[in-house]
Amino acid sequence: MGKLLGHDEERYRHYRALLAPGTPLRSGLNRISQGHTGGLIVLGNNAVVKEISTGGFEVNTPFTPTALRELSKMDGGIVLSDDLDVIVKAAVHFVPDGSLPTIETGTRHRTADRIAQQAEIPAVTVSAAMSTITLFMSGLRYPIESSEQILMRANQALDTLTRFHERLDEQSANLSMLEVDDRVTVADFIKTIQPVAMMRRLNQELETYVEALGVDGRLLQLQLYELTSDIDQFSSMLELDYKPEGAEDFHLDDLSNLPTGDLLDGVTVAETLGLPPDLTAHMTSRGFRQVTQAAQMSTKIAGYLLEHFGGLQALFTATPKELREVKGVSEAQARAIRDGLTRLAARLERQHG
């Protein structure tokens, strides 16, 4: 007893997904809630559950939302199989260890909390008076919110993510212009990666909302994909371009554990990544990000080009004939590269006057 006490994020997310809107279990719980009868459902069956169960009767029928609703009308609780596919028993009276600590006051909630602790199996309650659904697991209670409640927070996070996406677009364009002129400083680089780090944090938060929303989270998932689908590739290009010489590891993921306040401090970010703490120090881009995006090529070919011409600045002035001299570049590719770099230069000039 007590081996699984405390929050386990992976386990919690697993059961929250099983309780998400659109799942059979959630449909059954919603039916109970709408009927205002209340209910206590144990999400699994082991020796301890059998030991603390008295009365009731064997059901052993396939789980359906309707069956769960009808059986919950009787006094007592319901026991499901470990895979939640079978209703094992109904009208069960549970007698868990009364010495187990709980802050719950209602009989149903107090019993569910102690069952979850003693049997190490989650239990769910539906309040008859409040029509609320609560998951009890490992000595903790987790309110299962309605889609409306989750969507309210999700939309706020999505608005914030959109603003950081716009900020990243601005900083990325500014960084590109500075790279062409070879005028990038540590501060310029950090101003670009800060919104990247914030977007990754918001992405993780929003993914939990998508899981909790189940079928109601499909639109949110599409919006999230639209805003973040290229963030990992963008980060990888920045790592290729700005990894310090001789550094074995240089990963923007290292910022994931920084408190938000520290993430907003340029010096702290620089030190975390192993960059000079002097924010005015000069940095030179290797050019992978701009070349691969402008000419739609692999990093391997981009590497050949950058090595051949000695850097991004020289590549911008290269002619198609000179580009064809590079290993792996055909005549058609040379024209595409030249056109792509020309368009990129024109776009940057328009953006910055």
Side-chain angles (χ1 to χ4, degrees):
M1 182 175 67
K3 289 184 292 183
L4 297 177
L5 291 183
H7 180 69
D8 182 328
E9 181 66 18
E10 184 176 351
R11 190 167 182 244
Y12 165 61
R13 291 177 70 168
H14 169 71
Y15 280 99
R16 185 179 60 184
L18 294 174
L19 291 163
T23 62
L25 181 56
R26 180 61 173 269
S27 297
L29 296 173
N30 285 342
R31 288 170 182 257
I32 297 172
S33 176
Q34 292 161 7
H36 302 288
T37 55
L40 193 167
I41 301 94
V42 180
L43 306 183
N45 190 28
N46 61 14
V48 178
V49 172
K50 295 174 184 176
E51 179 184 342
I52 62 177
S53 300
T54 62
F57 55 88
E58 299 286 338
V59 179
N60 290 320
T61 187
F63 178 94
T64 65
T66 302
L68 186 70
R69 162 72 180 109
E70 293 302 318
L71 291 169
S72 72
K73 293 179 181 178
M74 298 181 289
D75 291 335
I78 294 172
V79 178
L80 303 183
S81 60
D82 292 337
D83 58 11
L84 310 184
D85 287 340
V86 176
I87 300 177
V88 179
K89 294 189 71 174
V92 179
H93 179 59
F94 298 104
V95 190
D97 184 352
S99 67
L100 289 170
T102 179
I103 61 173
E104 302 299 327
T105 54
T107 301
R108 182 180 288 122
H109 291 72
R110 186 168 61 244
T111 300
D113 190 8
R114 285 173 171 158
I115 291 172
Q117 293 181 57
Q118 186 172 350
E120 298 180 356
I121 287 180
V124 175
T125 61
V126 181
S127 170
M130 303 297 291
S131 296
T132 55
I133 301 171
T134 306
L135 170 68
F136 290 91
M137 186 168 65
S138 306
L140 300 174
R141 74 187 320 267
Y142 300 94
I144 303 302
E145 298 175 299
S146 67
S147 294
E148 291 76 15
Q149 292 172 310
I150 299 171
L151 279 170
M152 185 179 299
R153 292 204 312 277
N155 286 330
Q156 292 174 341
L158 192 65
D159 288 343
T160 304
L161 178 63
T162 300
R163 289 196 293 272
F164 274 111
H165 188 276
E166 293 169 351
R167 179 180 166 189
L168 178 59
D169 285 345
E170 294 173 1
Q171 294 297 338
S172 174
N174 184 62
L175 184 67
S176 294
M177 178 59 73
L178 293 171
E179 287 173 346
V180 172
D181 296 333
D182 195 21
R183 293 188 293 112
V184 179
T185 65
V186 174
D188 297 319
F189 177 67
I190 288 176
K191 287 177 183 177
T192 304
I193 63 176
Q194 283 171 326
V196 170
M198 290 303 300
M199 287 177 68
R200 281 180 159 172
R201 294 185 182 195
L202 288 164
N203 182 55
Q204 290 179 341
E205 179 182 342
L206 282 158
E207 283 180 345
T208 66
Y209 294 145
V210 169
E211 290 177 1
L213 286 165
V215 294
D216 293 339
R218 288 173 294 188
L219 178 58
L220 176 63
Q221 188 171 34
L222 290 173
Q223 293 173 300
L224 185 58
Y225 176 79
E226 183 179 0
L227 288 169
T228 62
S229 60
D230 59 351
I231 197 69
D232 287 339
Q233 182 181 11
F234 182 82
S235 299
S236 297
M237 291 296 102
L238 288 177
E239 291 168 356
L240 275 175
D241 282 344
Y242 289 99
K243 178 181 178 180
E245 293 293 341
E248 293 185 6
D249 295 306
F250 182 69
H251 301 292
L252 299 188
D253 283 345
D254 292 343
L255 302 177
S256 61
N257 294 324
L258 279 183
T260 301
D262 289 343
L263 182 59
L264 300 177
D265 180 74
V267 173
T268 302
V269 171
E271 291 176 342
T272 301
L273 294 175
L275 299 174
D278 178 8
L279 301 185
T280 64
H282 177 260
M283 298 183 76
T284 297
S285 169
R286 295 181 177 88
F288 283 95
R289 179 177 64 91
Q290 294 216 53
V291 174
T292 55
Q293 290 178 355
Q296 297 297 303
M297 67 177 67
S298 68
T299 55
K300 182 177 181 179
I301 298 297
Y304 290 150
L305 287 165
L306 292 164
E307 182 180 1
H308 180 89
F309 289 99
L312 183 62
Q313 291 71 36
L315 184 56
F316 266 97
T317 62
T319 65
K321 180 180 178 181
E322 292 171 329
L323 290 169
R324 287 198 302 272
E325 297 173 359
V326 178
K327 177 183 178 181
V329 177
S330 66
E331 183 175 351
Q333 286 177 316
R335 288 197 301 269
I337 294 167
R338 179 67 268 152
D339 291 345
L341 292 173
T342 300
R343 286 194 300 271
L344 175 60
R347 178 169 60 83
L348 293 174
E349 186 176 352
R350 287 195 305 271
Q351 289 174 335
H352 294 268

